[in-house]
Amino acid sequence: MMLDLAGGFGEKGRTSLAVSSGNDRILLDVGIKVGATGAEYYPALDGPIADIDALFVSHAHEDHVGALSWLLSRGYAGPIFMTAETRAEAPVTLAGYADPGDLKRFPFPEDRIEIFEPGDMLKSGNFTVSTGRSGHVVGGVWFAVDDGKNRVVYSADVVPDSNVFAMDVIPECDLLVLDASYGADPVPGAARAHEISDWVARHSKGCLLPTPLSGRSLELIAALPGPFVIHAGMRSSLEAQIGATASLLPGVSELLLRRLRGAADWTDADPLPAVPLLADDGMGEAGPSSRLLPRADQAGFPVLLTGHLPSGSPGDLLHKARRADWIRMPTHPTLSGNVDIWQRAGRPAALGHSCGTDALYDLKSHIPSLQAECRTGQRFMVPQGSKK
């Protein structure tokens, strides 16, 4: 089995992984890289796009699905596998991050989507693709690809210690492609959530919390210490996410629904509120937060950023100018989570995606089999059969 590291290796963004065995070739995710331009914005796919038999999408965040119209514009004609939740959210992601020309000519292809549920086993040629809940977003999954000789697990984005989402155990494998977004960060998610709660409590008279529409929004709602409002455009999506109870931890949906029902809708025509305001997206690149960040900055309205800030993004620039605070809300594994995933998977050879070079080497000091030198554009041969 051969891997083409098409994006997200030694970098954050454009996450994409091609898996080949014999005449079979599939693609796992097709993301864009926020802050990049030209070819670096898209996956570095080698070989004819038409040779890809199937595309499997883990979830609808831009760094995993934002290049879908680009892929279609270059001749991809095969099936596209995703969950119903990912299908519902992907068009909004493409509207914010796809090239407008590509999106106009190749809009979201509703008729080509093959729907599956987390836990389903899928087939493409001689590949068997197992799936499991990721703990990252509603409908998000990891993929385990087996060709009868080797098994590769691509974690996509996972959260083993989420306070909201459920994650299924990743199986033993010959190669584990880890979500290394946080490198060797040792601070657990619960501690970060408490830190965010304290910050919001200190700014309870009004503050802006930019957040992705899916995933982190529910984590923040669970952590907020008091009243809040949401941008009106978020409500239907948040209600749908809370209604997908199979993706959530037991009892969480009732808590989230109560909090959401108690939150008023806010629109761009309203004055900045005297309570915390949630608005998407998390970087200020698209959606309501692209308009709200400059407005909050001009008004001296407190801003808390809680996720990845690509260099040069509006959120990054505001933070560097010390006009916004930043506390990470863990929506990826911290150190203990990734070490546990690797140990449960049988301590296999490992790659790390969505992570810069220095942080990969930090993580390697805790996961010795991590191939920290692997980069986007390289090929990688899967070690021969040790899976159970």
Side-chain angles (χ1 to χ4, degrees):
M1 196 184 293
M2 182 72 72
L3 305 184
D4 287 302
L5 311 183
F9 294 88
E11 61 182 351
K12 176 73 172 177
R14 62 170 174 169
T15 317
S16 188
L17 180 68
V19 185
S20 303
S21 178
N23 294 322
D24 298 315
R25 182 172 171 83
I26 63 174
L27 188 64
L28 307 177
D29 282 344
V30 60
I32 57 89
K33 184 176 180 179
V34 174
T37 58
E40 193 180 347
Y41 191 67
Y42 301 106
L45 285 169
D46 189 28
I49 300 295
D51 287 352
I52 300 169
D53 300 313
L55 169 65
F56 297 80
V57 178
S58 64
H59 65 292
H61 285 163
E62 79 286 338
D63 54 334
H64 293 262
V65 75
L68 178 57
S69 292
W70 171 86
L71 187 73
L72 298 174
S73 75
R74 280 147 182 79
Y76 178 67
I80 303 166
F81 291 88
M82 58 178 65
T83 63
E85 293 85 1
T86 300
R87 180 182 64 179
E89 295 170 11
V92 175
T93 303
L94 294 179
Y97 290 94
D99 176 87
D102 286 345
L103 184 60
K104 183 176 181 180
R105 290 181 298 122
F106 296 92
F108 185 71
E110 292 277 358
D111 58 334
R112 289 172 54 185
I113 306 302
E114 301 280 347
I115 295 295
F116 69 91
E117 295 183 0
D120 284 353
M121 188 172 291
L122 312 172
K123 290 286 292 183
S124 178
N126 290 320
F127 285 126
T128 299
V129 182
S130 304
T131 66
R133 296 173 296 178
S134 67
H136 181 65
V137 295
V138 165
V141 296
W142 48 255
F143 295 114
V145 182
D146 198 316
D147 68 351
K149 297 178 182 178
N150 295 107
R151 182 186 295 147
V152 171
V153 172
Y154 163 61
S155 73
D157 290 351
V158 292
V159 190
D161 60 350
S162 171
N163 292 321
V164 171
F165 301 102
M167 178 181 168
D168 293 318
V169 174
I170 284 176
E172 292 192 359
C173 55
D174 303 300
L175 178 71
L176 176 61
V177 185
L178 287 164
D179 175 1
S181 295
Y182 299 159
D185 182 1
V187 182
R192 297 287 195 197
H194 184 72
E195 191 177 353
I196 288 170
S197 178
D198 285 348
W199 186 98
V200 173
R202 294 195 304 272
H203 299 84
S204 61
K205 300 298 184 181
C207 61
L208 175 61
L209 304 172
T211 175
L213 186 58
S214 62
R216 197 190 324 148
S217 291
L218 297 191
E219 299 274 11
L220 284 171
I221 289 173
L224 290 176
F228 62 95
V229 297
I230 62 169
H231 194 279
M234 301 177 71
R235 184 169 296 275
S236 61
S237 175
L238 293 175
E239 288 176 342
Q241 292 175 57
I242 293 170
T245 55
S247 292
L248 305 180
L249 295 170
V252 167
S253 60
E254 292 84 357
L255 167 67
L256 294 174
L257 190 58
R258 282 198 308 273
R259 293 195 171 182
L260 185 61
R261 285 173 174 167
D265 287 346
W266 185 92
T267 71
D268 290 1
D270 297 328
L272 291 171
V275 292
L277 166 62
L278 271 66
D280 61 302
D281 74 4
M283 301 171 284
E285 287 279 355
S289 76
S290 65
R291 303 181 296 272
L292 270 167
L293 275 179
R295 182 176 171 184
D297 183 34
Q298 186 175 20
F301 195 65
V303 176
L304 178 64
L305 302 157
T306 56
H308 175 58
L309 297 177
S311 180
S313 65
D316 174 62
L317 295 176
L318 207 61
H319 180 243
K320 285 178 176 175
R322 298 185 179 180
R323 297 199 298 271
D325 291 334
W326 180 84
I327 302 170
R328 174 183 286 156
M329 168 63 82
T331 54
H332 302 274
T334 53
L335 177 60
S336 61
N338 260 336
V339 170
D340 183 64
I341 289 170
W342 174 68
Q343 290 175 338
R344 286 172 176 257
R347 297 174 174 245
L351 304 177
H353 73 77
S354 302
C355 185
T357 303
D358 292 344
L360 279 171
Y361 281 103
D362 289 342
L363 185 58
K364 182 178 174 63
S365 66
H366 302 273
I367 300 178
S369 64
L370 183 69
Q371 309 297 302
E373 70 283 356
C374 290
R375 300 289 178 268
T376 293
Q378 296 178 348
R379 306 195 87 185
F380 186 86
M381 179 72 75
V382 178
Q384 287 298 310
S386 59
K387 67 178 174 63
K388 300 294 179 65

